[in-house]
């Protein structure tokens, strides 16, 4: 048995794509020598062209596609591996040993690369609230992005001498290209994490709405866009042309066959309606006509924007509950024809022009059960009683009225002051999660976590005990002091408040700290609630833990490290190494970890023996044997922990004899 080396870098997506092609067309995959003289697997495009026959597009020609300057570089950025890792930060976490929630601090492009194997096809819903592209440069300055000067020259907006030809305004296309280049690699990586029935939900405004829809269709497929919610959230009247008073929440699905769109939501305002009718009943008893008259007057007080108004036709009540008189006519002409007697006058009632909806026996049964609404006499056509209690759910609707100030007020109350501008509504997001089928122990990921609204929405979803869902939040440590330099109006004061708060807490003045602090406060507030988990593990993106790991892209294309590893970087702990191993072995980063002493060296056990790790500087045969006796699925050691080749060979022999099924590796 040979102890293999872990690769200790993020997944090379180009190589994974080659493997996918090999699965479909084995004959087109060959071997080639790369620029460094290494033998690598490659695709023979001539052979692939033969396999695809006449379905190959050759050369430049007109076709429907989304294109922009920098697209090729953005695609490369998605595939290129990185020599980075996620380091656990116990002191900033809450319930580190018990929680299954994660907050990752760092650039989300790098985070998504690091999560590719551990969470491949495991995330049910990804929520994104990206920069809206209002004309400012992005915080996300990706390495692949070309300079503004290069862009202007290549796109014909500067002469060879460098003279500006076109003003760099929002109209010249640069801003759209920047935004698309920022979003494209992130969406490509996010797609890989979605389950087959997974959903991508994106908040956006009018600046990039059209680009978003087309980009989503390109990344997830032409059939992926399934609709949007238009969110009325403003009453401003200060814009030229058309005053924009709404935003969008756009929905994409990864696979329509796996997710057929049976999305329903509970109607809002039901509690108000039921409470009102309960009061009417107490006042009027069984005088249903009086209750009806009072209900009609009561509904008139609600404007169209109030959710109660959508149920204003439910103005009748009987002993079985609140209802509205619905159509009882047959869908086809002459469906069912027979006489029905009015229960008071004893005369035959007027029949619908197309006949009755139900056969005579079924109709008699409904009348006996009190489920048919009759008029005052036989001159009016009876109706079906459709009870509100039986129609509490409806298809997810495309128009919403949401007071944006409510979420801001709730967040300010949690922190004691306003520390974040325009947070998303956590209750709206909770309702969206529920509507699209997030349940059980599903994973929700927010890669632009901001203030943490989407993370709180997961906790709110779990509060009723109907689910034990978990979240992964990713947030860049955006410097609030830099934000303050360009902030204006109320945003300037709010940013100042946030900086002062974090300074008092002894924490860096970054947006990521706001995210974490919100979740800490929520954990305190929700203590005692029937929540499965309101804690979180903090993980921070950092360079590889290994001092001699080469960090150039060319070196990362190799499957194993070149040469012996001299040492672990100063300050890196066994837990740091363990989490890099979890990434490399594609294990869930929220698995429970237990630390213990074996012969006075630290041994870390993940998920009751799914993985056992020992990163001691001197690993004895006794320690190796005690680990092998546990028969773990996987075991990993520090390569430098074996002082001699003989010690390493002994370790291999011990596992071969005691636990041959254990996969053993070294770093």
């Amino acid at each position: 048995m040979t102890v293999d080396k872990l690769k200790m870098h993020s997944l090379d997506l180009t190589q994974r794509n080659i493997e996918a092609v090999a699965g479909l067309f084995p004959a087109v995959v060959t071997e080639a020598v790369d620029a460094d003289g290494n033998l690598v697997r490659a695709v023979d495009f001539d052979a692939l062209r033969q396999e695809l026959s006449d379905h190959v597009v050759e050369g430049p020609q007109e076709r429907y596609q989304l294109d922009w300057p920098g697209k090729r570089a953005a695609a490369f950025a998605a595939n290129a591996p990185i020599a980075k890792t996620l380091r656990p930060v116990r002191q900033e976490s809450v319930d580190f040993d018990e929680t299954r929630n994660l907050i990752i601090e760092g650039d989300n492009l790098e985070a998504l690369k690091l999560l590719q194997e551990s969470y491949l096809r495991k995330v049910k819903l990804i929520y994104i609230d990206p920069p809206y592209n209002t004309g400012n440069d992005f915080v996300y300055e990706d390495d692949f992005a070309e300079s503004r000067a290069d862009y202007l020259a290549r796109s014909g907006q500067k002469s060879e001498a460098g003279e500006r030809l076109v003003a760099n305004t929002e109209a010249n296309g640069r801003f759209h290209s920047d935004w698309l280049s920022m979003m494209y690699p992130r969406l490509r990586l996010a797609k890989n994490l979605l389950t087959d029935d997974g959903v991508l939900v994106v908040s956006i405004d009018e600046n990039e709405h059209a680009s978003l829809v087309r980009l989503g269709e390109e990344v997830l497929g032409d059939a992926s866009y399934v609709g949007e919610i238009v969110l009325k959230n403003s009453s401003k009247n200060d814009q030229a042309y058309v005053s924009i008073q709404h935003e969008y929440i756009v929905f994409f699905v990864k696979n329509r066959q796996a997710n057929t769109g049976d999305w329903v939501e509970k109607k809002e305002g039901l509690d108000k309606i039921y409470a009102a009718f309960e009061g009417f009943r107490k006042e009027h008893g069984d005088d249903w006509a009086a209750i009806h008259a009072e209900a009609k007057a009561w509904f008139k007080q609600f404007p169209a924007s109030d959710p109660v108004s959508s149920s204003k036709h439910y103005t009748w009540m009987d002993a079985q509950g609140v209802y509205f008189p619905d159509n009882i006519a047959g869908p086809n002409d002459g469906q069912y024809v027979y006489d029905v007697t009015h229960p008071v006058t004893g005369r035959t009632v007027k029949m619908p022009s197309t006949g009755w909806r139900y056969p005579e026996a079924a109709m008699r049964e409904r009348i006996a059960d009190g489920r048919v609404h009759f008029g005052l006499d036989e001159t009016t056509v009876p109706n079906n009683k459709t009870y509100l209690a039986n129609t509490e759910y409806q298809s997810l609707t495309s128009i919403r009225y949401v007071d944006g100030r409510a979420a801001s007020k709730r967040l300010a109350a949690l922190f004691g002051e306003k520390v974040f501008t325009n947070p998303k509504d956590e209750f709206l997001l909770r309702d969206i999660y529920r509507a699209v089928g997030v349940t059980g122990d599903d994973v929700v990921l927010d890669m632009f976590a901001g203030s943490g609204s989407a993370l709180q929405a997961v906790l709110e979803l779990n509060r009723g005990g109907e689910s034990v869902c978990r979240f992964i939040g990713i947030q860049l440590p955006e410097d609030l002091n830099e934000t303050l330099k360009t902030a204006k109006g109320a945003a300037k004061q709010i940013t100042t408040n946030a900086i002062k708060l974090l300074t008092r807490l002894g924490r860096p003045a970054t947006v990521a700290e706001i995210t974490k602090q919100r979740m800490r406060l929520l954990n305190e507030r929700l203590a005692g609630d029937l929540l499965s988990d309101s804690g979180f593990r903090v993980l921070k993106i950092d360079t590889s833990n290994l001092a001699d790991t080469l960090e150039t892209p060319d070196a990362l294309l190799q499957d194993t490290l070149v040469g012996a590893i001299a040492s672990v970087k100063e300050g890196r702990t066994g837990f740091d190494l363990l989490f890099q191993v979890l990434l490399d072995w594609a294990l869930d980063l929220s698995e429970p970890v237990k630390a213990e002493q074996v012969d006075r060296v630290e041994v870390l056990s993940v998920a009751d023996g799914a993985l056992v790790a020992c990163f001691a500087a001197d690993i004895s045969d006794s320690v190796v044997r005690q680990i092998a006796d546990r028969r773990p699925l996987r075991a990993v050691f520090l390569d430098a922990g074996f002082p001699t080749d003989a010690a390493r060979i002994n370790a291999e022999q011990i596992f071969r004899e005691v636990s041959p099924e254990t996969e053993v590796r070294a770093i």
Side-chain angles (χ1 to χ4, degrees):
M1 178 181 66
T2 301
V3 178
D4 295 327
K5 292 285 186 67
L6 290 166
K7 62 180 184 291
M8 309 302 280
H9 58 73
S10 73
L11 182 66
D12 183 351
L13 292 179
T14 299
Q15 289 300 313
R16 187 166 78 179
N17 291 338
I18 290 174
E19 295 301 324
V21 171
L24 294 172
F25 308 108
V28 309
V29 177
T30 183
E31 291 181 338
V33 178
D34 66 11
D36 296 321
N38 300 310
L39 196 63
V40 297
R41 285 165 67 82
V43 175
D44 183 335
F45 274 91
D46 286 335
L48 182 59
R49 185 177 290 104
Q50 292 175 16
E51 292 281 357
L52 298 176
S53 185
D54 57 345
H55 296 283
V56 177
V57 176
E58 297 282 3
Q61 57 180 273
E62 292 183 352
R63 59 183 181 272
Y64 180 63
Q65 62 178 341
L66 177 65
D67 206 358
W68 67 92
K71 181 178 181 180
R72 182 175 299 178
F76 176 80
N79 290 337
I82 55 172
K84 294 200 174 183
T85 189
L86 292 172
R87 297 182 64 190
V89 188
R90 182 180 289 271
Q91 65 270 23
E92 296 183 18
S93 306
V94 174
D95 297 333
F96 184 95
D97 294 321
E98 304 295 331
T99 186
R100 302 207 71 197
N101 300 316
L102 304 176
I103 294 181
I104 299 173
E105 183 174 322
D107 189 298
N108 51 21
L109 181 63
E110 295 177 340
L112 290 169
K113 290 184 178 186
L114 293 171
L115 298 177
Q116 283 297 293
E117 294 184 277
S118 292
Y119 292 92
L120 179 67
R121 294 191 294 274
K122 292 182 180 178
V123 177
K124 177 59 179 288
L125 183 141
I126 296 177
Y127 173 72
I128 306 178
D129 181 22
Y132 278 8
N133 199 14
T134 56
N136 299 318
D137 287 336
F138 296 115
V139 175
Y140 294 86
E141 295 292 347
D142 298 325
D143 291 338
F144 67 86
E146 61 186 334
S147 70
R148 188 175 302 274
D150 289 344
Y151 171 86
L152 291 172
R154 182 172 53 75
S155 59
Q157 298 177 59
K158 268 190 178 182
S159 66
E160 292 183 3
E163 181 183 357
R164 190 66 160 279
L165 300 179
V166 180
N168 190 26
T169 65
E170 292 183 33
N172 68 22
R174 168 71 192 196
F175 296 106
H176 295 294
S177 296
D178 274 352
W179 190 86
L180 288 164
S181 290
M182 183 274 294
M183 289 291 293
Y184 187 48
R186 289 166 171 84
L187 288 184
R188 286 184 56 163
L189 293 167
K191 174 189 175 182
N192 299 332
L193 304 184
L194 284 172
T195 58
D196 284 344
D197 64 343
V199 184
L200 172 66
V201 182
V202 188
S203 289
I204 202 69
D205 71 357
E206 74 282 359
N207 288 295
E208 296 294 352
H209 172 260
S211 297
L212 169 69
V213 173
R214 188 63 194 98
L215 185 63
E217 290 176 329
E218 172 156 330
V219 173
L220 281 86
D222 288 340
S224 62
Y225 168 71
V226 294
E228 59 198 36
I229 291 174
V230 178
L231 197 64
K232 173 71 166 64
N233 64 350
S234 171
S235 297
K236 61 186 179 182
N237 191 29
D238 57 356
Q239 287 180 286
Y241 303 112
V242 176
S243 178
I244 306 299
Q245 301 184 10
H246 65 275
E247 294 181 2
Y248 302 91
I249 302 177
V250 185
F251 293 80
F252 303 89
V253 295
K254 185 175 181 180
N255 185 330
R256 282 197 183 222
Q257 283 67 48
N259 190 325
T260 56
D262 300 323
W263 297 354
V264 295
E265 60 182 350
K266 194 169 185 177
K267 296 175 181 176
E268 296 182 80
L270 295 179
D271 291 342
K272 285 184 181 179
I273 295 172
Y274 288 137
F277 273 90
E278 192 174 319
F280 303 155
R281 183 81 186 273
K282 287 180 179 179
E283 181 178 354
H284 299 290
D286 291 345
D287 188 345
W288 311 122
I291 291 175
H292 170 62
E294 191 157 347
K296 287 201 300 182
W298 179 79
F299 274 115
K300 288 180 179 179
Q301 69 180 295
F302 297 100
S305 60
D306 194 295
V308 169
S309 185
S310 64
S311 299
K312 63 184 179 182
H313 49 300
Y314 285 90
T315 57
W316 285 91
M317 187 180 194
D318 65 11
Q320 299 181 60
V322 180
Y323 71 90
F324 86 92
D326 201 356
N327 185 18
I328 204 169
N332 303 313
D333 191 27
Q335 182 82 18
Y336 296 107
V337 178
Y338 49 83
D339 289 340
V340 171
T341 302
H342 192 279
V344 176
T345 67
R347 298 187 182 93
T348 300
V349 298
K350 184 177 181 180
M351 185 175 64
S353 60
T354 58
W356 304 107
R357 177 176 300 180
Y358 306 102
E360 186 171 1
M363 186 69 160
R364 303 298 178 199
E365 183 179 349
R366 295 184 71 82
I367 293 172
D369 292 341
R371 289 182 289 161
V372 176
H373 176 90
F374 287 91
L376 294 176
D377 57 35
E378 70 280 359
T379 60
T380 59
V381 177
N383 295 98
N384 244 334
K385 289 183 179 180
T386 296
Y387 290 94
L388 184 57
N390 297 330
T391 58
E392 291 185 341
Y393 288 86
Q394 62 187 3
S395 297
L396 193 61
T397 52
S398 64
I399 305 261
R400 291 294 180 94
Y401 297 88
V402 176
D403 186 352
R405 296 169 298 181
S408 293
K409 289 179 180 178
R410 290 193 297 269
L411 186 61
L414 182 67
F415 276 93
E417 58 186 333
K418 287 187 176 182
V419 296
F420 197 88
T421 57
N422 303 318
K424 290 297 181 282
D425 191 298
E426 68 277 18
F427 295 133
L428 173 61
L429 293 176
R430 173 204 61 192
D431 293 343
I432 287 174
Y433 296 169
R434 184 180 287 125
V436 303
V438 176
T439 187
D441 62 350
D442 286 339
V443 179
V444 173
L445 184 147
D446 180 359
M447 60 183 177
F448 294 90
S451 72
S453 295
L455 311 186
Q456 180 177 346
V458 175
L459 303 186
E460 299 295 342
L461 182 69
N462 291 339
R463 287 186 76 174
E466 61 191 83
S467 62
V468 288
C469 298
R470 49 199 177 110
F471 64 72
I472 301 174
I474 307 171
Q475 178 55 48
L476 188 76
E478 181 181 345
D479 190 343
L480 291 172
N481 287 295
E482 289 298 315
T483 303
L484 184 61
K485 292 177 181 179
T486 56
K488 297 178 181 179
K492 188 171 186 177
Q493 182 59 57
I494 292 172
T495 305
T496 300
N497 293 343
I499 293 171
K500 289 182 178 179
L501 169 68
L502 294 171
T503 301
R504 289 197 303 270
L505 295 173
R507 301 191 181 280
T510 68
V511 174
E513 292 298 335
I514 293 293
T515 312
K516 290 180 282 186
Q517 184 61 17
R518 177 179 188 168
M519 303 315 292
R520 292 188 192 102
L521 293 171
L522 285 169
N523 177 266
E524 296 172 5
R525 171 178 288 188
L526 298 174
D529 278 18
L530 295 178
L531 272 173
S532 58
D533 181 6
S534 60
F536 56 91
R537 281 181 178 175
V538 173
L539 306 174
K540 293 187 179 182
I541 298 175
D542 207 334
T543 56
S544 172
N545 293 303
L546 305 178
D548 285 0
T549 300
L550 299 178
E551 298 182 5
T552 62
D554 290 341
L556 294 177
L557 295 178
Q558 302 175 54
D559 288 334
T560 58
L561 298 177
V562 179
I565 296 174
S567 64
V568 174
K569 286 180 179 175
E570 185 177 355
R572 303 298 172 96
T573 68
F575 268 86
D576 290 330
L577 293 170
L578 178 65
F579 273 78
Q580 188 159 357
V581 169
L582 292 178
L583 288 171
D584 196 84
W585 236 319
L587 297 177
D588 194 317
L589 299 176
S590 66
E591 293 288 4
V593 179
K594 180 181 179 182
E596 56 184 301
Q597 294 291 313
V598 175
D599 287 357
R600 290 180 294 182
V601 301
E602 184 180 61
V603 172
L604 302 173
S605 176
V606 179
D608 294 327
L611 167 66
V612 176
C614 180
F615 303 117
D618 188 1
I619 305 170
S620 67
D621 287 351
S622 173
V623 171
V624 174
R625 185 169 295 278
Q626 290 183 65
I627 292 174
D629 284 340
R630 301 182 185 188
R631 305 177 73 88
L633 294 176
R634 307 169 187 85
V636 62
F637 300 92
L638 186 65
D639 193 44
F642 298 108
T644 65
D645 289 341
R648 187 181 297 103
I649 293 171
N650 286 341
E652 295 175 3
Q653 183 62 30
I654 289 170
F655 271 94
R656 186 180 295 113
E657 294 174 356
V658 178
S659 184
E661 69 278 8
T662 299
E663 186 178 356
V664 184
R665 295 188 186 180
I667 62 171

